[in-house]
Amino acid sequence: MNIVSAYAALSATEPLCKTTISRRDPGPHDVAIDIRFAGICHSDIHVARAEWGPTNYPMVPGHEIAGVVAEVGARVTKYKKGDRVGVGLIADSCRECRSCRNGLEQYCTIGLTPTINSIGRDGQPTQGGYSESIVIDENYVVRIPDSLALDKAAPLMCAGITLFSPLRHWHVGSGTRLAVVGLGGLGHMGVKLAAAMGAEVTVLSQTLKKMEDGLRLGADRYYATADPDTFRTLRGSFDLIVNTVSANLDLGAYLDLLDVDGTLVELGIPAHPLEVPAGVLLAGRRSLSGSQVGSIGETQEMLDFCAEHDVTPDIELIEPDCINMAYERVLASDVRYRFVIDISKL
């Protein structure tokens, strides 16, 4: 076991604080990674504050991890010391169910093992990227291309792949009429990725406050959903809508923005069950679906795509002692567009 520094949540109500945790020695198929940068995702806050069910404290958040390989196990074939690598939400999966065999680890029917707040195969709690290092099976590690800066690569491990996966699944490309609901950490990546894929991109946000940003990031149009005229103007306009916010929307109004055979994809987890009016689905043979992060293979494809098309998130780099401040700013939607922790300052 190795003892490393980390920032952890000790309870649902206390600020995160600096502490130490133990990391296992690398097994035959493990990769030990010196973490250089870790992104802050809103889901880190939900788990730290036990808003999505019980949290095993002390809990180290962080599932947007970028670093450098420090050591590999004797049977590791994919990586070597010094390689630039990333780790996302998936630390392990059953490896045997149909989803895992088909390269869809994010839909493991037994249940994937998240990088945070779970129990690994060694029986120990999984602890995330707000720490000096991490040890992960090589099959759940991805390679970061040399042209991607590590600090900007970190948020791609969740924010990037969470948008890339549905865009690829629904075949977004030239001529696709896409709407992105929300322009936050997820939404701004949706705009950038879809624009790079050649889609016609519209941002749907409550107000026009971030309109200049949206157009700069690659959107073709930007509308305020607080304006009732928006829903009349855009009725039947889209092939695909990706909803990046966790609020309970008026799904009838948003589904009515889809053309015949269009799909609305939920990426967030609202506090209350969704209410879906059947009539608006029937009227246009429309679909309501969902998507959860992406597979390891998709994550590698996403990183390679981002390197080829120079797509990276807009980030604000912070030191570890600013994590609690950053959490409050995330909750206030006061970040453009992803906080990234410089772990070298831990």
Side-chain angles (χ1 to χ4, degrees):
M1 288 284 187
N2 295 305
I3 304 300
V4 302
S5 295
Y7 260 77
L10 304 183
S11 76
T13 57
E14 296 175 78
L16 274 68
C17 65
K18 189 172 183 180
T19 185
T20 57
I21 59 171
S22 60
R23 294 293 193 188
R24 70 176 185 269
D25 294 325
H29 296 284
D30 284 337
V31 176
I33 301 166
D34 286 338
I35 299 174
R36 300 291 173 81
F37 300 97
I40 293 179
C41 179
H42 201 149
S43 57
D44 289 335
I45 304 174
H46 286 303
V47 177
R49 300 186 176 183
E51 294 170 348
W52 284 352
T55 294
N56 300 313
Y57 298 106
M59 190 279 296
V60 177
H63 56 275
E64 296 183 335
I65 299 168
V68 176
V69 175
E71 184 181 354
V72 298
R75 297 183 183 178
V76 169
T77 60
K78 298 180 180 180
Y79 303 101
K80 66 182 185 305
K81 184 176 180 178
D83 284 349
R84 306 164 80 250
V85 293
V87 176
L89 175 67
I90 308 172
D92 205 343
S93 62
C94 82
R95 314 182 191 191
E96 297 176 356
C97 71
R98 183 175 181 181
S99 293
C100 287
R101 293 198 309 271
N102 288 337
L104 295 170
E105 302 91 350
Q106 74 272 39
Y107 302 119
C108 176
T109 56
I110 304 301
L112 64 85
T113 302
T115 312
I116 61 174
N117 196 42
S118 188
I119 301 296
R121 288 174 184 257
D122 59 1
Q124 298 300 310
T126 59
Q127 303 285 16
Y130 300 5
S131 60
E132 291 180 303
S133 65
I134 194 167
V135 179
I136 298 282
D137 184 285
E138 67 173 324
N139 292 303
Y140 299 86
V141 177
V142 290
R143 188 179 304 278
I144 297 175
D146 290 340
S147 62
L148 291 177
L150 287 180
D151 56 352
K152 292 198 170 186
L156 296 177
M157 301 308 303
C158 179
I161 187 56
T162 296
L163 270 298
F164 185 87
S165 183
L167 295 180
R168 271 288 189 254
H169 180 76
W170 275 276
H171 307 293
V172 168
S174 178
T176 301
R177 298 168 299 165
L178 171 74
V180 177
V181 181
L183 193 68
L186 294 180
H188 96 289
M189 283 308 308
V191 171
K192 288 190 173 193
L193 288 165
M197 292 174 181
E200 176 187 303
V201 184
T202 298
V203 173
L204 301 176
S205 186
Q206 280 191 307
T207 70
L208 299 179
K209 183 173 66 174
K210 296 181 181 178
M211 182 174 182
E212 184 177 345
D213 272 7
L215 298 177
R216 172 182 61 83
L217 295 169
D220 299 287
R221 300 186 297 173
Y222 198 109
Y223 286 87
T225 56
D227 182 354
D229 286 340
T230 291
F231 292 92
R232 289 190 287 269
T233 300
L234 298 179
R235 188 170 185 266
S237 293
F238 302 111
D239 305 305
L240 183 68
I241 299 173
V242 289
N243 178 23
T244 70
V245 302
S246 294
N248 282 83
L249 302 179
D250 178 353
L251 283 182
Y254 282 85
L255 287 165
D256 204 36
L257 300 180
L258 293 168
D259 202 350
V260 174
D261 289 329
T263 300
L264 190 158
V265 183
E266 285 283 334
L267 302 181
I269 303 177
H272 306 289
L274 300 174
E275 294 186 7
V276 185
V280 74
L281 293 175
L282 302 177
R285 199 163 62 190
R286 300 172 174 116
S287 299
L288 175 64
S289 190
S291 182
Q292 175 174 283
V293 291
S295 69
I296 302 302
E298 284 177 317
T299 303
Q300 187 64 65
E301 181 187 354
M302 176 270 304
L303 289 169
D304 294 340
F305 178 91
C306 288
E308 179 181 354
H309 295 275
D310 193 25
V311 174
T312 56
D314 287 16
I315 67 169
E316 184 172 335
L317 194 62
I318 63 169
E319 296 189 7
D321 60 6
C322 294
I323 290 172
N324 291 301
M325 171 275 294
Y327 271 27
E328 296 308 316
R329 285 183 55 191
V330 169
L331 293 173
S333 299
D334 179 28
V335 54
R336 294 189 177 177
Y337 280 93
R338 208 65 160 184
F339 282 117
V340 174
I341 306 163
D342 184 349
I343 299 297
S344 72
K345 304 293 178 62
L346 189 61

